[in-house]
Amino acid sequence: GDNENLTTLKYDVKILEDIVIKSPMTSSDSVEAEYKWYKKSPESLQPYLPDPVKWKGNSIIMERCKGRAVLSGNWCDDFWDKQLPNFLDDLHVGERSIVKSEIYEMYYSKPVKRVLDSESLISNIVGFSIHDFFYEIYGRIGFPDHYTWVHHDLTLSNIFLGNGISVIDPKGVHYGDPRYDIAKLFYSITGFEHIKRGEFRIWKNSDGTWEIEHGRYDNTKKVLWFMDWALERYNISKDRMDAMLKTIWLSATGYFLYNPMLVLAFYIKWL
């Protein structure tokens, strides 16, 4: 029907015909930062956002996105080589100075905290070494030339296609590392959406190593063209993107604690 009620880890989302009401699940959570992001977004981004977006009580009330989620795989012909690049150009505007401590927190501190949060679920299966993590990752990610306006959770499940692109569910961060948005897109393209839906298989080899098989979207020429374009446009080497993706896969382990199999899957992706 037209009415739905969706519950995520932190939010309660009610869909009433053409209206979406997003509320925090507990008093310690909030959607106010997300609301402020919508209201303060640069003019170039406005055509891609729900309109209107209102605040009532402790909830966001906004227009329901028209069209379909991009993760359905039914994207239009010019999505990857025209619509998505144009959207990114309109999103990543307004250069600001970088804050190195925030970069360190995002790529180093947060992944370590998240995997330690999940350690009790996977410690009897696999072992995590903070030393090995820093040895493998440190120095490969570096710093962006500048901050821009960012979405900060730019997965395919947060992009809708109707009469053009619409985006939802920003993290509420205003200015940040635009490369992180690209890394989240790559993460979404290369397996996150499929793994999240349970479309994966895990096994352990005789030598003790783990492997995972899952669906992915980077298997068409247009998607691969976009990925090459994004790496060049944002000056990200393949090695740097690999390191960034490893930190994001590791961060995901602590976000899905309700599902130990997902935690294990994301941990194996980091390996």
Side-chain angles (χ1 to χ4, degrees), residues 6 12 17 29 80 92 109 125 138 148 159 174 178 201 236:
L6 308 174
D12 179 66
E17 297 183 354
D29 298 316
W80 292 104
H92 294 143
S109 300
I125 304 173
Y138 198 79
T148 65
I159 302 175
H174 292 185
R201 185 171 68 90
I236 306 171

Side-chain angles (χ1 to χ4, degrees), residues 45-84:
L45 195 56
Q46 293 301 315
Y48 304 97
L49 304 180
D51 183 31
V53 176
K54 298 179 180 179
W55 181 257
K56 185 174 182 180
N58 62 350
S59 302
I60 297 173
I61 301 174
M62 61 186 177
E63 175 192 48
R64 182 179 184 177
C65 284
K66 295 179 174 60
R68 61 193 182 278
V70 170
L71 60 80
S72 65
N74 297 319
W75 34 72
C76 51
D77 286 344
D78 64 351
F79 173 73
W80 292 104
D81 59 359
K82 183 178 179 181
Q83 291 197 49
L84 189 53

Side-chain angles (χ1 to χ4, degrees), residues 74-233:
N74 297 319
W75 34 72
C76 51
D77 286 344
D78 64 351
F79 173 73
W80 292 104
D81 59 359
K82 183 178 179 181
Q83 291 197 49
L84 189 53
N86 288 346
F87 161 71
L88 291 170
D89 284 342
D90 288 334
L91 168 66
H92 294 143
V93 298
E95 294 183 7
R96 297 287 191 277
S97 298
I98 69 169
V99 181
K100 289 187 176 181
S101 61
E102 292 178 353
I103 302 291
Y104 189 92
E105 163 69 23
M106 183 164 55
Y107 294 116
Y108 301 109
S109 300
K110 185 175 78 170
V112 169
K113 179 186 182 304
R114 288 278 186 84
V115 76
L116 292 179
D117 287 344
S118 66
E119 196 171 28
S120 63
L121 296 177
I122 58 174
S123 59
N124 63 330
I125 304 173
V126 292
F128 173 70
S129 164
I130 295 176
H131 173 270
D132 290 348
F133 168 75
F134 278 99
Y135 180 80
E136 180 165 354
I137 300 299
Y138 198 79
R140 294 171 62 192
I141 292 175
F143 299 99
D145 294 332
H146 50 259
Y147 274 6
T148 65
W149 192 266
V150 290
H151 181 281
H152 228 56
D153 195 19
L154 197 58
T155 58
L156 295 177
S157 48
N158 288 335
I159 302 175
F160 284 75
L161 264 180
N163 294 323
I165 287 176
S166 299
V167 294
I168 59 170
D169 289 350
K171 282 293 186 187
V173 175
H174 292 185
Y175 291 93
D177 182 357
R179 303 174 308 167
Y180 186 75
D181 279 344
I182 303 304
K184 287 298 288 266
L185 273 174
F186 276 46
Y187 156 81
S188 187
I189 289 168
T190 58
F192 170 68
E193 306 296 349
H194 294 82
I195 294 171
K196 186 174 65 172
R197 295 195 297 264
E199 299 169 14
F200 65 92
R201 185 171 68 90
I202 292 172
W203 68 94
K204 190 176 184 179
N205 295 316
S206 57
D207 62 0
T209 58
W210 289 88
E211 290 193 50
I212 182 170
E213 184 180 79
H214 55 80
R216 51 200 305 147
Y217 292 121
D218 57 336
N219 49 14
T220 68
K221 287 183 178 179
K222 290 200 172 184
V223 177
L224 292 171
W225 179 92
F226 167 77
M227 296 174 80
D228 287 340
W229 172 87
L231 292 176
E232 182 177 354
R233 164 71 172 78

